[in-house]
Amino acid sequence: MAYESVKVETPLLLRILPVASVVLFFAVWQAIVDFGVVPNTMLASPTQVAVLFWEKLFVADPDGAVLSVHAWVSIQEAFTGFFLSLAIGIPLGLMMGWFSVAEGLARPIFELIRPIPPVAWIPLTIFWFGIGIPGKVFIIWLSGIVPCVINSYVGVRMTSPTLIQMARTYGATDWEIFKKICIPSALPMVFGAMTISQAYCWTTLVGAEYLAADQGLGYLITMGRRLASPPMVVLGMICVGLTGVAIGILIERVEKKLLAGIRR
Amino acid sequence: MDDTSKASGGRKTKIQVKNLTRSFGDLTVLNDISFNVAEGEFLSIVGPTGCGKTTFLNCLSKLLPTTKGNILIDGEEANPTKHNISFVFQEPTCMPWRTVRENVAYGMETKKFPKEKLEERLKYILDLVGLSDTANLYPNQVSASMEQRIAVARAFAVDPDLLLMDEPYGQLDVKLRYYLEDELVRLWKTLNSTVVFVTHNIEEAVYVAERILILSNKPTKIKAEVLVDLPRPRSLIDPKFVEIRKQVTELIRWW
């Protein structure tokens, strides 16, 4: 084929800088703690965290579970909430964007609930579900569904009017236009929603575990505070961050694959 | 009834537009327009800027309801779900998530062509338009002119009762336009479609059409009709061609 793919080399500087910035960040952090600029009771050094990380891979004490268990519990909660918000939020948003009945029915309620921060639901959730997994999933679901609905809605709304007209001239029905024109055209926005929603879910997860949990990465942070152990707090934070990054990369991969035609 | 289509040459009347009127509030855009199009005819419509060409096409394609009057295809009220009406828009209308092949197939898909017939016709049309080599690429991997050819191929593919074109080559450079106009004429001849081609480019109209309708300013009426009975391929410097072009230009200028 006449269309070849072109390889573009990243300049050396651009490859070095990100690494340098990370190395510098940790070096400064280590120095601050080692030289006592910030006392060790307030902040743990990277090496302390690394040591604790290694220990926590095998030792359940003092917080009751090894690191992988904490992470696994958190991931389960976050993903259950995340998938539920995708499963309900995306179809709802898409329908709201195209069918005026759906918009008329759902929009007012959605706008009413949307400004309430998900963590504000925690007390009610505890009344309803107790402190187990369902309650946390509910809160995570609430936070994840907002970007799903908004992005899917906007995505459908941004469908090129000419494409819709084109479909109409061929005699396509409203449903066919929705299915074959509006949804594919909204997909980039929907995938954007997945990324944002995942971030929201993951953030809310920590909030939810803060208040009511006995396992999970958010719980690890809380325990670190109770035990006055800065390394454990920082370890919890880093694990939350790293897991979030890993999930983000995963979603980006999936998105790139599915959207080959659109973003090429 | 057939007296308006002098170019029909004994051909059957395919499209009848009867007293087509469209107003937006107090503003009458289309004022009682009537004309016929013969089966297999290539009709061009030209008019001054802002004379309501787009409104006119939107009414013909049934995208817009008419205020008064009606459009008959084979004697029946035009209906996009029943009749094959194709519309090539001024802007490219490729779906970026579909390959060239899938874009061309869209019209037939919507018209619920049986799978085998669809595949067969798709192959035929892609060959005819010269898109076979790029069939599996996505629209943003091909050039802008190619995108317009995809739309044209899609329009011809459904074997339209009526093919409407709204300045499809308005945004392309001159050289490419000649090439695509020749291609359009070739497609029209090969597939024997009925084409209504709207443009503001007089030379283009004279080059492609068998008959030209000239619209007046708003409220728009048909001001004149010009037959173009020149042999093809047409030459832009043929004295007869120049004469017709001048005639149409004068008609547009003296409203």
Side-chain angles (χ1 to χ4, degrees):
Chain A
M1 227 182 294
Y3 301 84
E4 283 178 40
S5 61
V6 180
K7 262 196 190 138
V8 181
E9 289 242 338
T10 320
L12 187 65
L13 192 66
L14 279 185
R15 274 183 288 168
I16 290 175
L17 280 181
V19 181
S21 98
V22 172
V23 170
L24 188 71
F25 173 78
F26 281 103
V28 170
W29 177 7
Q30 183 78 34
I32 286 177
V33 180
D34 279 355
F35 295 114
V37 182
V38 175
N40 209 257
T41 49
M42 289 165 80
L43 184 65
S45 71
T47 43
Q48 284 175 307
V49 175
V51 170
L52 184 66
F53 174 78
W54 183 249
E55 280 176 20
K56 281 301 296 172
L57 285 179
F58 314 104
V59 186
D61 286 337
D63 46 88
V66 295
L67 206 50
S68 54
V69 172
H70 284 310
W72 180 236
V73 167
S74 291
I75 288 173
Q76 275 178 305
E77 289 166 355
F79 268 80
T80 314
F82 175 55
F83 284 127
L84 284 177
S85 57
L86 294 186
I88 294 167
I90 291 173
L92 182 66
L94 293 172
M95 304 271 269
M96 277 166 66
W98 184 241
F99 300 104
S100 42
V101 176
E103 184 179 10
L105 283 176
R107 186 101 197 234
I109 300 170
F110 178 73
E111 292 295 336
L112 211 63
I113 293 177
R114 191 171 67 112
I116 305 172
V119 282
W121 288 85
I122 288 175
L124 273 187
T125 311
I126 295 176
F127 296 157
W128 296 342
F129 301 100
I131 64 159
I133 284 187
K136 274 169 280 181
V137 168
F138 174 70
I139 291 169
I140 291 160
W141 174 75
L142 270 175
S143 71
I145 199 169
V146 173
C148 289
V149 173
I150 294 178
N151 273 34
S152 311
Y153 172 81
V154 174
V156 170
R157 277 298 161 110
M158 286 194 339
T159 308
S160 149
T162 324
L163 282 186
I164 295 175
Q165 286 196 330
M166 184 275 292
R168 281 208 198 291
T169 57
Y170 286 108
T173 60
D174 266 0
W175 177 250
E176 282 170 337
I177 295 176
F178 178 60
K179 207 173 61 179
K180 288 197 170 170
I181 308 280
C182 295
I183 294 182
S185 146
L187 274 190
M189 285 293 280
V190 170
F191 276 99
M194 286 176 67
T195 320
I196 303 169
S197 167
Q198 180 269 324
Y200 278 28
C201 286
W202 195 244
T203 315
T204 311
L205 164 99
V206 176
E209 284 181 348
Y210 234 67
L211 287 181
D214 47 13
Q215 271 174 350
L217 292 174
Y219 172 75
L220 185 65
I221 300 175
T222 322
M223 279 311 284
R225 194 201 62 199
R226 288 201 198 136
L227 300 169
S229 160
M232 192 180 283
V233 174
V234 177
L235 176 66
M237 288 167 67
I238 287 180
C239 288
V240 169
L242 286 181
T243 318
V245 168
I247 297 169
I249 291 172
L250 196 75
I251 286 181
E252 201 188 347
R253 289 262 166 95
V254 175
E255 177 182 358
K256 267 194 185 150
K257 248 203 166 138
L258 289 176
L259 284 184
I262 295 179
R263 292 225 176 124
R264 219 191 287 248
Chain B
M1 187 162 71
D2 274 41
D3 54 359
T4 50
S5 54
K6 290 173 218 147
S8 64
R11 285 184 286 188
K12 185 173 142 238
T13 301
K14 182 78 177 175
I15 317 289
Q16 291 167 275
V17 178
K18 287 182 171 171
N19 310 102
L20 174 60
T21 303
R22 171 75 208 190
S23 21
F24 296 95
D26 289 339
L27 177 72
T28 306
V29 178
L30 305 175
N31 187 13
D32 199 20
I33 294 178
S34 300
F35 64 92
N36 290 349
V37 188
E39 182 151 38
E41 187 179 357
F42 200 129
L43 176 72
S44 245
I45 295 178
V46 295
T49 313
C51 74
K53 287 188 291 260
T54 304
T55 311
F56 181 64
L57 276 185
N58 285 347
C59 286
L60 280 186
S61 63
K62 289 295 189 176
L63 283 174
L64 265 183
T66 53
T67 311
K68 254 198 344 236
N70 39 22
I71 297 142
L72 306 181
I73 297 179
D74 293 327
E76 267 183 280
E77 184 69 29
N79 177 356
T81 49
K82 195 151 70 189
H83 295 112
N84 283 353
I85 302 173
S86 292
F87 197 137
V88 179
F89 292 83
Q90 200 170 348
E91 321 80 272
T93 45
C94 287
M95 289 163 275
W97 56 87
R98 282 172 170 244
T99 60
V100 171
R101 170 198 302 282
E102 291 162 347
N103 261 293
V104 174
Y106 178 79
M108 293 190 278
E109 227 175 275
T110 309
K111 289 288 175 196
K112 315 252 179 330
F113 275 46
K115 205 168 165 43
E116 269 172 40
K117 194 181 160 201
L118 189 149
E119 287 298 330
E120 191 189 319
R121 181 129 181 114
L122 186 58
K123 194 181 171 312
Y124 175 64
I125 291 283
L126 287 173
D127 280 342
L128 202 60
V129 190
L131 289 172
S132 300
D133 292 343
T134 47
N136 293 321
L137 294 178
Y138 285 90
N140 58 0
Q141 293 172 297
V142 302
S143 63
S145 71
M146 200 87 101
E147 287 202 45
Q148 205 51 290
R149 289 164 75 190
I150 294 168
V152 171
R154 177 169 57 204
F156 273 107
V158 295
D159 193 13
D161 294 310
L162 172 60
L163 171 53
L164 301 167
M165 304 183 93
D166 184 8
E167 302 184 22
Y169 306 133
Q171 291 166 357
L172 303 174
D173 68 80
V174 178
K175 219 171 122 188
L176 207 52
R177 228 184 48 218
Y178 289 147
Y179 176 73
L180 291 176
E181 284 161 10
D182 281 340
E183 182 181 84
L184 175 64
V185 169
R186 187 167 55 85
L187 284 169
W188 161 69
K189 285 210 142 174
T190 315
L191 301 170
N192 197 30
S193 313
T194 310
V195 181
V196 173
F197 187 97
V198 169
T199 178
H200 59 243
N201 185 327
I202 296 161
E203 191 182 75
E204 184 175 44
V206 180
Y207 190 71
V208 295
E210 291 180 288
R211 183 163 62 113
I212 302 174
L213 295 182
I214 296 141
L215 300 181
S216 69
N217 251 342
K218 265 189 264 204
T220 308
K221 277 181 158 296
I222 295 178
K223 200 176 164 224
E225 181 187 10
V226 174
L227 290 183
V228 191
D229 51 354
L230 300 174
R232 294 178 200 266
R234 291 174 180 170
S235 155
L236 300 172
I237 48 169
D238 173 5
K240 270 173 138 182
F241 184 97
V242 176
E243 192 191 310
I244 294 178
R245 200 190 68 202
K246 275 187 183 152
Q247 188 193 349
V248 176
T249 313
E250 292 300 304
L251 280 165
I252 290 186
R253 199 182 299 157
W254 296 105
W255 51 74

